[in-house]
Amino acid sequence: MNSSEEIAVSAMSAGRSALRMGPAELVQAAAMARRFYLEGKSKIQIAEEFGVSRFKVARVLETALERDLVRIEIRVPAELDAERSDALRARYGLRHAVVVESPAEGEETSPDPENLGETAADLLGELVSEGDVLGLAWGRSTIHMAAALDRLPPCTVVQLTGVYDAGTAERGSVEAVRRAAQVSGGEAHPIYAPMLLPDPATAAALRNQTGIARAFEYFDKVTVAAVSIGSWEPGISTVHDMLTDEERAHYASLGVAAEMSAHLFDAEGRRVGRDLGERCITVEADRLRRIPEVVAIAGGQRKAAAIDAVLRSGLVTSLVTDTAAADFLLNETGPKPRPALDRADPDGI
């Protein structure tokens, strides 16, 4: 995941302008650059070795860059797009934005490409520290991510939503929590309950059951969370697919543009259809907003507008996406979003 830097220091192959330096200057500059860039020595250490001031060392290093004596090449794995990643991070004020190449045309068979989960797994390996509490919400992307995990510091893992009970593949949220806990060697707190219940009373009764209540107690302790995003259309939002036609039409009339962990958002990131949450087993939006690091995993053109909406909600701090979604987000002509790290609630503005 980290960029690797290759530093080429060569007096012989320096640019024509560097030849204006005398041979002693060239040799000294190359030696200082080698100490600084390749050996990791500080400017103070270099100054002591060469018997000059640290300010002299700084000037020599600056001159070496200006005159092409030192060449710095930044390389990232081919599947990562560093330029789009940085542009996306800046546009939305995110802590981290990682953009991967979209599947080639005709190769994408799922609205949640597996490579997003693989990249998110690597990112979690960077973000999670020993003693953290990791929260995983339901989503195909988070399930792919958990399956790809191969390193995590010792941490507690808690499930943030109930399960989508429409088939064996979708019961993977419990398995994802177990998998992450197995990799980290920490405790697992799964939730054995559907995400969506018939009515608020049934949902409330389930929340009071011992195992589920224990998981909910950890919500305020979560330090890093991974969530998925869905757009309001068939096959792209789990919640959309679980509702009746009449219910879908009702929420669509409220302007739903995106769904995340059973919370619905309009195009400006404002929460709508809050009554749905009363029927769901899920982490509350206010609790999500208090989690220090919330990583959203979503990509593809069909989800691009939904990603924009959720990024405007103030609920997420980081994003793993692909080039197809990134291009839409970077070319979005709507109102510039507030920085995601402000964690501002659009409803409070």
Side-chain angles (χ1 to χ4, degrees):
M1 292 296 301
N2 288 334
S3 301
S4 61
E5 294 187 354
E6 180 181 288
I7 313 298
V9 181
S10 170
M12 297 299 295
S13 62
R16 187 165 50 188
S17 61
L19 295 179
R20 296 173 186 170
M21 300 172 69
E25 291 177 303
L26 281 170
V27 170
Q28 184 184 69
M32 287 183 175
R34 186 173 291 107
R35 302 290 194 281
F36 185 74
Y37 290 109
L38 298 182
E39 298 176 12
K41 292 188 175 181
S42 69
K43 293 174 184 176
I44 293 176
Q45 290 173 315
I46 297 170
E48 291 175 350
E49 178 182 349
F50 286 87
V52 299
S53 72
R54 68 178 185 277
F55 303 106
K56 167 72 172 177
V57 173
R59 286 196 299 273
V60 170
L61 293 174
E62 183 178 350
T63 300
L65 284 171
E66 290 175 349
R67 299 190 178 185
D68 203 26
L69 179 62
V70 173
R71 297 176 183 176
I72 301 177
E73 183 179 358
I74 300 176
R75 295 179 177 177
V76 296
E79 65 271 15
L80 297 182
D81 191 311
E83 185 174 350
R84 284 185 176 93
S85 297
D86 189 55
L88 201 58
R89 178 200 57 76
R91 172 169 172 74
Y92 286 92
L94 295 159
R95 183 172 290 117
H96 303 285
V98 181
V99 178
V100 304
E101 288 293 330
S102 299
E105 188 173 351
E107 291 184 4
E108 186 173 346
T109 59
S110 167
D112 301 280
E114 291 191 20
N115 63 335
L116 291 184
E118 294 165 1
T119 299
D122 286 340
L123 180 60
L124 278 194
E126 293 183 54
L127 299 181
V128 176
S129 300
E130 183 172 352
D132 275 348
V133 177
L134 172 62
L136 299 182
W138 189 94
R140 285 177 286 262
S141 295
T142 52
I143 292 171
H144 291 325
M145 178 201 68
L149 283 171
D150 58 12
R151 63 185 176 98
L152 271 181
C155 64
T156 299
V157 186
V158 60
Q159 193 169 324
L160 296 178
T161 63
V163 300
Y164 176 40
D165 58 352
T168 56
E170 315 303 352
R171 292 201 293 268
S173 48
V174 170
E175 295 168 11
V177 169
R178 288 176 171 171
R179 166 66 181 168
Q182 180 184 30
V183 171
S184 73
E187 295 181 1
H189 294 276
I191 293 177
Y192 298 97
M195 180 189 297
L196 180 66
L197 282 304
D199 53 70
T202 304
L206 279 177
R207 292 190 201 103
N208 289 326
Q209 288 190 357
T210 302
I212 298 173
R214 185 178 299 116
F216 267 65
E217 289 173 359
Y218 275 92
F219 287 179
D220 287 328
K221 303 174 184 177
V222 173
T223 50
V224 180
V227 300
S228 295
I229 296 172
S231 56
W232 200 246
E233 57 180 300
I236 310 296
S237 165
T238 300
V239 173
H240 177 281
D241 293 346
M242 286 192 290
L243 297 173
T244 66
D245 290 341
E246 183 179 356
E247 290 170 329
R248 292 169 190 155
H250 165 67
Y251 291 116
S253 71
L254 300 179
V256 175
E259 175 265 318
M260 180 182 71
S261 302
H263 299 296
L264 309 181
F265 306 88
D266 68 11
E268 299 302 318
R270 294 183 292 260
R271 290 180 58 212
V272 296
R274 298 189 182 212
D275 60 305
L276 182 65
E278 298 174 4
R279 297 169 49 194
C280 293
I281 303 296
T282 186
V283 60
E284 300 94 327
D286 289 343
R287 278 175 156 171
L288 264 179
R289 201 181 305 278
R290 292 195 296 269
I291 296 174
E293 182 74 83
V294 179
V295 181
I297 312 164
Q301 290 183 341
R302 294 176 68 185
K303 284 192 176 183
I307 295 170
D308 177 68
V310 172
L311 292 181
R312 294 173 183 273
S313 72
L315 294 178
V316 302
T317 59
S318 297
L319 174 69
V320 177
T321 190
D322 61 8
T323 52
D327 286 342
F328 173 93
L329 296 169
L330 292 172
N331 292 313
E332 174 63 23
T333 58
K336 184 175 175 58
R338 293 188 60 173
L341 292 180
D342 284 356
R343 313 304 293 274
D345 185 350
D347 289 332
I349 299 174

